[in-house]
Amino acid sequence: MATAAATCWFTALTSATGPSRYSLTSQRFFATTLRRHSHLIAPNSETNQNAETHAAINPNRKSRTSKKPLPSSPRKSSAQKEAIGQRFPGTSKDEVHFSRADARSSKTVRSQRNQPVAFKSFGLQKKGNKGGNNVFDIKEQQVETGNFQDAAFLNAVVKVYCTHTAPDYSLPWQKQRQYTSTGSAFMIGDGKLLTNAHCVEHDTQVKVKRRGDDTKYVAKVLARGIECDMALLSVESTEFWEGAEPLHFGRLPRLQDPVTVVGYPLGGDTISVTKGVVSRIEVTSYAHGSSDLLGIQIDAAINPGNSGGPAFNDQGECVGVAFQVFRSDEVENIGYVIPTTVVSHFLEDYERNGKYTGFPCLGVLLQKLENPALRACLGVPSNEGVLVRRVEPTSDASNVLKEGDVIVSFDGIRVGCEGTVPFRSTERIAFRYLISQKMLCFRFAGDVAELGIVRAGSFTKLKAVLNPRVHLVPYHIEGGQPSYLIVAGLVFTPLSDPLIEEECEDQIGLKLLTKARYSLAKFKGEQIVILSQVLANEVNIGYEDMSNEQVLKLNGTRIKNIHHLAYLVDSCKDKYLVFEFEDNYLAVLEREAACSASARILKDYGIPAERSPDLSESYVDSLGVNHPVEQHEFGDGPVSNSEFGFEGLLWV
């Protein structure tokens, strides 16, 4: 029986070609308790055999000024909230939902078709739902042909059993209740397996089982690529690998090439095979990593539990990894697989660096130049080029590019005025594809690209170093557990996408949502530090109703990140601790009284430590001691709906 799950969706005011992260509205959608014959697809979690099976959803959220309950509530984390299906109550007819791999959050874009759509990865079949065919009938799309029925390479596809324990971002010193899920993976040789990152997100235990075997073997997660939704596993047991034959990667398929998806989806315990063709190849939004990389659209069925499973061509070669689907009232059979070019980039990145470092980024906001008058005004003589509107301060491009430059070529490849470049023989693809792929090889962090630009009507060539993008508000927390600092009951933590999702829009507030959506990091390591809540005590009387407010200064010093705040508190010798928030709101504590009350507050609320372990390390100023920090340097990027929502704009 399914437990109830509530999911907060964030609506983005943007076009179908420019999805954004958050909305400035406060719409909420709830997946109510799931029962048999429900149209909602929501795999179950098996957290405890004695856990509640009929948890009720309470949509009456607390006000921004109410205190949060300290006991850990059974919040549903990423994979647990995987639910899509019929139109949710309250959705407008012109919204398209782009959900991350496990429904942790969503991005909404305006649809020209004016129909609600859900874009999800189905890597996780939650254990406990034995009545899968009450939700939908998978057997209709299963294929058992002579070619695949006894094919040896099917034995390389395994079932993944994962136990997840996600952080509690609102109460960052503790974890949420654990849950279990299942997905798919496949052998690639050298004792390693490949699966999706969202299948093993926040894992505490991962086990795998081979086809036809009744033994589960413990696996270890070696690397996760959040952007590309890939994870590398290893199994040390020699017994697991006996008679195993790894899969071989094939070339990037072409349109209408047949493709076969293999995995362990909802509807049964044995391996499943579905067939289809390649429908489209283009730069695709990866829901789990909120990134744009090359993707293959297919019409073969991809269902919960399929994620991490391989997609084969007719020669039995792996041409991709199943990871997400696109659902709408007007479309059907739209699934996506990660192509082998992206998979190989992830593997080579791990081999080079011993870890995943990410896909490089140029770090500029571009505008298309389809209007002839616009091109003529900028001095572009031909029908080509894209306009540089903004340059990220943390990117190397900020040293060579200026606003108003027009990029007309990238490593010798001409860029069209609509922001595309040639792809294979007769196709074109989004310009940002070149950032991660250079002809027949890959690009990695630190690689150099040659840009041909038109500046003030004159053509010139420049070189820029490509590095992963720095996010002011991260989509995922490095290391899994969020940082926090408690000062006399005032709980400080960095603003992050998971925290916004957990708190919901009405709790975070319009100003923080605006900053999370529009602001750019001015330097590496910058964070938006917020007072998430106040643990009531006599030492903080009058402040107990404060929550989710950005703290700007401590005793007149601008705060750069949570570690900097901890350093300022520890080194303070003044009589008072003066915290300055937005709109000139002040919170003042007597320093000695605050220090003496901290231990008592921690004991009363059952909190193990006043700060996260990472804040106990020595603070290193990334800007340098003498770096002048002006007030406007922090999170105050100009707000413009067209920056992220206008069809002619794109980040690369």
Side-chain angles (χ1 to χ4, degrees):
M1 185 69 68
T3 56
T7 305
C8 290
W9 300 75
F10 300 102
T11 307
L13 303 177
T14 174
S15 70
T17 58
S20 182
R21 296 173 62 185
Y22 311 114
S23 77
L24 303 183
T25 63
S26 185
Q27 280 183 295
R28 291 182 293 169
F29 306 93
F30 295 94
T32 55
T33 304
L34 302 180
R35 296 181 172 86
R36 293 178 182 270
H37 303 287
S38 170
H39 293 285
L40 287 174
I41 303 172
N44 304 320
S45 63
E46 186 179 29
T47 58
N48 191 316
Q49 293 296 334
N50 297 321
E52 300 177 29
T53 57
H54 294 282
I57 295 298
N58 180 13
N60 299 320
R61 314 288 291 193
K62 58 184 179 301
S63 66
R64 288 191 66 198
T65 59
S66 63
K67 297 190 289 290
K68 300 178 180 62
L70 262 291
S72 176
S73 59
R75 293 185 183 88
K76 307 304 177 189
S77 82
S78 54
Q80 276 179 294
K81 296 184 287 187
E82 184 174 337
I84 67 171
Q86 69 180 33
R87 188 173 305 150
F88 291 90
T91 51
S92 74
K93 292 186 178 182
D94 60 348
E95 292 173 351
V96 180
H97 296 293
F98 289 85
S99 300
R100 287 209 286 206
D102 41 16
R104 286 189 43 183
S105 72
S106 65
K107 298 186 286 184
T108 305
V109 299
R110 300 295 175 190
S111 169
Q112 295 177 349
R113 307 292 293 176
N114 293 331
Q115 288 292 336
V117 183
F119 187 18
K120 293 191 60 62
S121 299
F122 276 142
L124 305 177
Q125 171 190 343
K126 305 293 172 29
K127 296 176 65 177
N129 188 358
K130 299 298 184 182
N133 49 2
N134 286 313
V135 183
F136 48 75
D137 187 4
I138 295 177
K139 294 182 180 180
E140 294 180 359
Q141 302 193 54
Q142 286 184 335
V143 179
E144 291 188 358
T145 64
N147 293 335
F148 283 89
Q149 178 83 17
D150 301 315
F153 55 79
L154 291 185
N155 295 327
V157 185
V158 304
K159 191 170 186 176
V160 178
Y161 300 81
C162 185
T163 301
H164 312 258
T165 308
D168 190 324
Y169 296 95
S170 295
L171 307 174
W173 51 84
Q174 64 187 29
K175 298 274 191 178
Q176 298 183 30
R177 180 180 297 176
Q178 74 175 24
Y179 61 96
T180 59
S181 66
T182 65
S184 304
F186 60 94
M187 304 175 183
I188 60 172
D190 196 25
K192 295 182 177 63
L193 301 163
L194 270 180
T195 187
N196 284 143
H198 71 265
C199 291
V200 292
E201 185 181 26
H202 304 308
D203 68 287
T204 51
Q205 184 184 68
V206 180
K207 295 179 290 186
V208 293
K209 185 175 72 172
R210 290 183 59 177
R211 180 189 182 196
D213 197 354
D214 60 354
T215 304
K216 298 176 184 177
Y217 299 87
V218 175
K220 178 183 178 182
V221 179
L222 298 178
R224 289 184 188 85
I226 301 299
E227 291 171 301
C228 57
D229 200 3
M230 293 301 305
L232 186 65
L233 312 179
S234 68
V235 178
E236 295 182 357
S237 173
T238 56
E239 183 181 353
F240 175 81
W241 296 102
E242 289 181 0
E245 295 184 10
L247 298 184
H248 300 285
F249 291 120
R251 62 169 177 82
L252 188 68
R254 295 188 175 273
L255 297 182
Q256 296 186 338
D257 279 0
V259 63
T260 302
V261 176
V262 179
Y264 292 87
L266 190 71
D269 294 327
T270 59
I271 200 166
S272 169
V273 178
T274 58
K275 288 184 68 69
V277 298
V278 174
S279 306
R280 180 182 293 152
I281 299 176
E282 64 180 1
V283 174
T284 303
S285 176
Y286 280 46
H288 182 60
S290 296
S291 56
D292 295 317
L293 298 170
L294 192 66
I296 303 174
Q297 178 186 320
I298 63 174
D299 65 358
I302 297 177
N303 293 303
N306 261 127
S307 279
F312 295 103
N313 59 19
D314 278 352
Q315 289 73 46
E317 298 171 326
C318 175
V319 295
V321 182
F323 77 116
Q324 66 187 24
V325 296
F326 189 70
R327 293 294 171 99
S328 165
D329 291 345
E330 287 195 344
V331 300
E332 59 183 16
N333 295 339
I334 295 183
Y336 291 89
V337 299
I338 303 170
T340 52
T341 52
V342 176
V343 175
S344 298
H345 185 285
F346 166 73
L347 292 174
E348 188 171 338
D349 190 3
Y350 174 77
E351 291 297 325
R352 281 188 174 198
N353 304 292
K355 62 179 181 179
Y356 172 76
T357 62
F359 283 76
C361 174
L362 185 58
V364 294
L365 178 66
L366 302 176
Q367 178 179 342
K368 300 175 183 179
L369 294 183
E370 296 178 290
N371 186 278
L374 178 58
R375 292 196 302 271
C377 178
L378 295 170
V380 182
S382 57
N383 186 21
E384 61 184 1
V386 285
L387 174 66
V388 175
R389 286 207 51 211
R390 290 184 70 182
V391 183
E392 291 187 344
T394 56
S395 69
D396 184 75
S398 64
N399 299 320
V400 294
L401 289 177
K402 299 179 180 179
E403 295 179 4
D405 288 345
V406 177
I407 301 176
V408 295
S409 68
F410 191 90
D411 274 343
I413 300 176
R414 305 191 75 80
V415 180
C417 64
E418 78 285 7
T420 61
V421 294
F423 179 64
R424 300 201 285 202
S425 57
T426 59
E427 303 172 69
R428 294 187 70 84
I429 199 167
F431 163 54
R432 55 188 178 274
Y433 167 73
L434 290 181
I435 305 298
S436 59
Q437 183 90 19
K438 180 181 179 181
M439 301 303 288
L440 300 177
C441 60
F442 304 117
R443 295 186 192 275
F444 296 93
D447 287 357
V448 178
E450 184 182 74
L451 305 175
I453 69 167
V454 173
R455 176 179 294 172
S458 301
F459 176 81
T460 186
K461 290 186 177 181
L462 305 172
K463 292 186 181 295
V465 179
L466 306 177
N467 285 301
R469 189 176 179 188
V470 177
H471 294 282
L472 178 62
V473 178
Y475 290 102
H476 294 264
I477 302 297
E478 293 293 335
Q481 199 68 17
S483 302
Y484 72 91
L485 174 69
I486 302 177
V487 181
L490 277 64
V491 181
F492 298 97
T493 189
L495 184 66
S496 65
D497 186 79
L499 177 60
I500 292 175
E501 183 179 328
E502 196 165 287
E503 289 289 290
C504 294
E505 290 184 21
D506 59 342
Q507 299 296 315
I508 291 296
L510 180 63
K511 286 188 176 181
L512 285 181
L513 286 174
T514 302
K515 289 188 176 184
R517 180 181 179 186
Y518 294 107
S519 297
L520 302 176
K522 301 297 182 181
F523 54 88
K524 292 181 180 179
E526 182 185 1
Q527 294 175 329
I528 295 178
V529 182
I530 67 170
L531 172 65
S532 65
Q533 62 176 306
V534 177
L535 309 176
N537 184 270
E538 61 184 15
V539 75
N540 55 46
I541 287 177
Y543 308 136
E544 56 268 18
D545 290 336
M546 294 181 65
S547 65
N548 296 325
E549 299 286 350
Q550 182 183 3
V551 57
L552 302 176
K553 296 179 181 180
L554 175 62
N555 289 1
T557 301
R558 195 79 181 182
I559 296 169
K560 304 172 185 176
N561 50 49
I562 185 70
H563 209 155
H564 184 221
L565 174 60
Y567 168 76
L568 294 176
V569 171
D570 294 342
S571 59
C572 179
K573 304 299 181 183
D574 298 338
K575 182 178 180 180
Y576 297 104
L577 294 171
V578 182
F579 297 93
E580 298 182 44
F581 298 87
E582 287 197 325
D583 299 325
N584 297 320
Y585 194 92
L586 296 180
V588 180
L589 301 172
E590 188 176 355
R591 183 175 59 85
E592 292 184 358
C595 292
S596 60
S598 292
R600 185 172 64 256
I601 293 174
L602 296 180
K603 181 179 179 181
D604 291 344
Y605 286 88
I607 301 173
E610 67 175 2
R611 65 186 64 189
S612 54
D614 59 309
L615 300 188
S616 298
E617 302 173 0
S618 299
Y619 172 69
V620 178
D621 192 344
S622 60
L623 293 180
V625 177
N626 297 322
H627 179 82
V629 180
E630 300 179 12
Q631 180 171 348
H632 67 270
E633 283 196 52
F634 291 84
D636 65 340
V639 176
S640 166
N641 285 341
S642 66
E643 293 255 315
F644 288 79
F646 185 61
E647 183 175 349
L649 304 176
L650 61 156
W651 278 104
V652 296

